[in-house]
Amino acid sequence: MKITVVGSGTIVPDPERVCAGYYVETGTHRLLLDCGPGTLHHLGRFGLPWDRLTHVALSHFHTDHIGDLPSLLFALKYGLTVPRRDELTILGPAGTGDLLERLRTAFGDYITDPGFPLRSQDLRSGEVVGLEPGRIRLRVHATPHTAASIAYRIETPEGTLGYTGDTGFSRELGEFLQGVDLLIAECSLPDEQAMDAHLTPTRVAALASLARPGRLVLTHVYPVFRGRDLVALVREGGWDGETHVAVDGMRFEL
């Protein structure tokens, strides 16, 4: 499994980070976790096959996580020399199908009729999707962020990837992510700016202590952390495992 951080930032403009997006390649599947503003051009910048994505999996519907979805579909319809014929599946929490209809009303019919088969699937917390029967399983779990926000767990023979999306602390979420080889977890704000809907260094440390991932990758980093040692802050919060701060273009392999 190959993972590339396409966008590790937030909606606050940052010259070094665009909004949320994580490219995952395993077997014949090429999946984009979230599709925030800037991710489409970063897919091109990092040499990733944006034109051959098989799945887009949304964690929730905030603009910084879905803003480039219309641009991706527009590019797939009008930006290819050879028209696409392969199906694209868009996964997400309850309301994903309705989201596409609203985007169609706003942007045009290409959203739901891009010239190739487009399928959407609303996922419930606890659901398991067999992307490739017997080989790739995608599990979902609700997160305390919005009424319809989910985390993902992707299980393959090469290893297991966890992605929190946006979330506050949740013991149940930590248990859901237990034992993943790589955990991409948001760490939005310093402890002194803590809020229930996002993680801070101390709270992500508590989540990691429950999940015990092989590697922890901190993402969705607001510019307020610039100049601060985020890994050290998480270590002070109680997590001593291998930890990285995501930057756009960072790559991992399982």
Side-chain angles (χ1 to χ4, degrees):
M1 186 193 304
K2 298 178 181 178
I3 301 107
T4 302
V5 177
V6 182
S8 58
T10 68
I11 201 62
V12 177
D14 187 319
E16 299 176 357
R17 303 173 186 272
V18 301
C19 292
Y22 309 88
Y23 172 83
V24 181
E25 183 173 351
T26 176
T28 60
H29 289 69
R30 292 167 294 278
L31 183 146
L32 183 64
L33 290 166
D34 281 332
C35 191
T39 56
L40 176 59
H41 282 256
H42 264 197
L43 286 168
R45 175 185 177 187
F46 301 135
L48 300 170
W50 62 272
D51 56 325
R52 295 192 291 119
L53 287 170
T54 59
H55 297 77
V56 176
L58 306 175
S59 64
H60 64 294
F61 305 139
H62 283 164
T63 304
D64 57 328
H65 291 255
I66 66 166
D68 253 11
L69 186 57
S71 298
L72 173 63
L73 293 170
F74 193 85
L76 289 174
K77 183 173 178 65
Y78 297 112
L80 301 178
T81 302
V82 178
R84 180 185 174 110
R85 294 287 178 259
D86 294 335
E87 180 179 87
L88 177 67
T89 300
I90 299 179
L91 306 166
T96 297
D98 291 341
L99 169 70
L100 291 175
E101 284 299 321
R102 293 197 301 274
L103 291 175
R104 181 188 64 78
T105 299
F107 291 101
D109 290 342
Y110 75 87
I111 295 290
T112 54
D113 183 19
F116 54 85
L118 182 73
R119 186 171 70 89
S120 68
Q121 184 175 353
D122 290 17
L123 301 175
R124 303 182 307 275
S125 183
E127 191 162 354
V128 181
V129 179
L131 298 186
E132 185 177 317
R135 188 181 182 279
I136 305 172
R137 291 186 300 184
L138 185 149
R139 300 178 182 271
V140 299
H141 194 285
T143 67
H145 182 67
T146 70
S149 59
I150 53 177
Y152 288 97
R153 181 185 178 110
I154 302 173
E155 301 171 344
T156 78
E158 297 96 34
T160 303
L161 170 68
Y163 172 51
T164 65
D166 284 6
T167 185
F169 175 77
S170 162
R171 178 171 294 276
E172 292 77 14
L173 179 61
E175 293 170 353
F176 167 74
L177 295 166
Q178 196 166 57
V180 297
D181 295 291
L182 184 71
L183 174 57
I184 300 173
E186 75 124 284
C187 187
S188 296
L189 299 166
D191 287 320
E192 58 268 23
Q193 296 181 25
M195 61 177 64
D196 291 340
H198 284 293
L199 294 176
T200 67
T202 296
R203 293 180 182 185
V204 79
L207 186 75
S209 295
L210 290 170
R212 305 302 303 179
R215 287 178 283 179
L216 174 66
V217 180
L218 306 171
T219 195
H220 201 265
V221 179
Y222 274 88
V224 67
F225 277 117
R226 189 172 290 120
R228 303 180 70 174
D229 188 341
L230 187 50
V231 172
L233 292 173
V234 172
R235 188 177 298 117
E236 291 170 8
W239 168 249
D240 60 358
E242 181 179 344
T243 304
H244 306 265
V245 179
V247 295
D248 295 9
M250 181 179 282
R251 299 175 191 259
F252 299 92
E253 188 165 349
L254 302 181

